[in-house]
């Protein structure tokens, strides 16, 4: 069990994770799985926007026209800012999406990312990915604690990502915890 000092230290770290909260007009950002990936690829490319190279790097491929549309959207939304020297700057490290009106966009984006994850089983070499599953039987308290652990882990990953000096790749990470069987009479 964590000590009070460990919990407070972690709270201070998590407070420092800067996030941009999406507004209604920014929901288009989630309409295609590749737009957030392109944003991250621009960071890997040290702010250089090279549509042809980005199109070649994406897996699965989408084509240069769609890459350009995403770059234009990122500029329109202010997620990347023109520096005037052929390069752009990423506006915020993390983007936070919440709200009832955004639920459908979030779910569609998550489903697309999960499909790409499933596809990667066949298209990405095992040494370039890490996919595992775990089937477990738990009570309600165990379920709540595991959800909390996942949320804490996600924040830890965000903190670690912020420490990357010069990223060399873009990764998607799916964390999914869901019931596959439960007694509806006693599950709550």
């Amino acid at each position: 069990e964590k000590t009070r000092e460990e919990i407070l230290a972690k709270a201070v770290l998590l407070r420092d994770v800067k996030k941009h909260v999406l507004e209604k007009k920014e929901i288009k950002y989630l309409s295609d799985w590749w737009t957030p990936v392109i944003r991250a690829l621009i960071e890997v490319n040290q702010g250089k926007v090279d549509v042809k190279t980005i199109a070649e790097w994406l897996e699965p491929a989408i084509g240069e026209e769609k890459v350009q549309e995403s770059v234009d959207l990122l500029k329109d939304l202010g997620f990347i800012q023109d520096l005037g020297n052929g390069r752009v700057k990423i506006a915020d490290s993390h983007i936070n999406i919440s709200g009832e009106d955004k639920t459908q966009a979030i779910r569609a984006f998550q489903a697309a990312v999960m499909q790409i994850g499933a596809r990667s089983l066949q298209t990405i070499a095992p040494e370039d990915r890490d996919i595992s599953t775990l089937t477990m039987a738990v009570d309600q308290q165990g379920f709540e604690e595991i959800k909390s652990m996942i949320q804490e882990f996600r924040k830890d990953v965000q903190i670690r990502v912020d420490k990357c000096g010069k990223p060399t790749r873009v990764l998607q990470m799916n964390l999914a915890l869901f019931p596959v069987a439960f007694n509806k009479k006693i599950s709550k």
Side-chain angles (χ1 to χ4, degrees), residues 94-131:
H94 303 286
I95 295 177
N96 187 31
I97 304 155
S98 61
E100 290 294 323
D101 54 336
K102 301 166 190 151
T103 301
Q104 280 306 110
I106 294 165
R107 287 181 182 162
F109 177 76
Q110 289 170 333
V113 171
M114 288 176 144
Q115 288 173 352
I116 293 166
R119 182 183 181 276
S120 75
L121 286 167
Q122 305 303 318
T123 61
I124 305 294
E127 59 271 13
D128 292 328
R129 61 174 166 78
D130 186 334
I131 297 175

Side-chain angles (χ1 to χ4, degrees), residues 8-117:
L8 288 174
K10 182 157 223 138
V12 168
L13 282 174
L14 296 178
R15 184 178 59 211
D16 293 338
V17 175
K18 185 179 178 188
K19 296 178 185 174
H20 177 96
V21 179
L22 289 184
E23 301 297 330
K24 271 187 177 182
K25 68 178 184 157
E26 298 168 318
I27 294 301
K28 181 139 178 55
Y29 178 74
L30 295 176
S31 65
D32 298 307
W33 66 265
W34 55 82
T35 301
V37 173
I38 290 169
R39 180 179 167 272
L41 268 174
I42 290 170
E43 182 177 2
V44 167
N45 209 18
Q46 298 177 335
K48 184 178 177 197
V49 179
D50 181 343
V51 171
K52 183 177 184 198
T53 299
I54 291 171
E56 290 171 0
W57 286 0
L58 286 172
E59 176 61 39
I62 63 163
E64 291 180 36
E65 184 177 312
K66 289 181 181 178
V67 170
Q68 186 61 58
E69 289 171 8
S70 290
V71 168
D72 293 342
L73 174 64
L74 291 167
K75 286 180 180 177
D76 290 345
L77 294 173
F79 290 177
I80 57 175
Q81 299 166 345
D82 218 332
L83 295 176
N85 58 357
R87 295 190 184 272
V88 297
K89 175 185 155 202
I90 304 297
D92 291 298
S93 298
H94 303 286
I95 295 177
N96 187 31
I97 304 155
S98 61
E100 290 294 323
D101 54 336
K102 301 166 190 151
T103 301
Q104 280 306 110
I106 294 165
R107 287 181 182 162
F109 177 76
Q110 289 170 333
V113 171
M114 288 176 144
Q115 288 173 352
I116 293 166

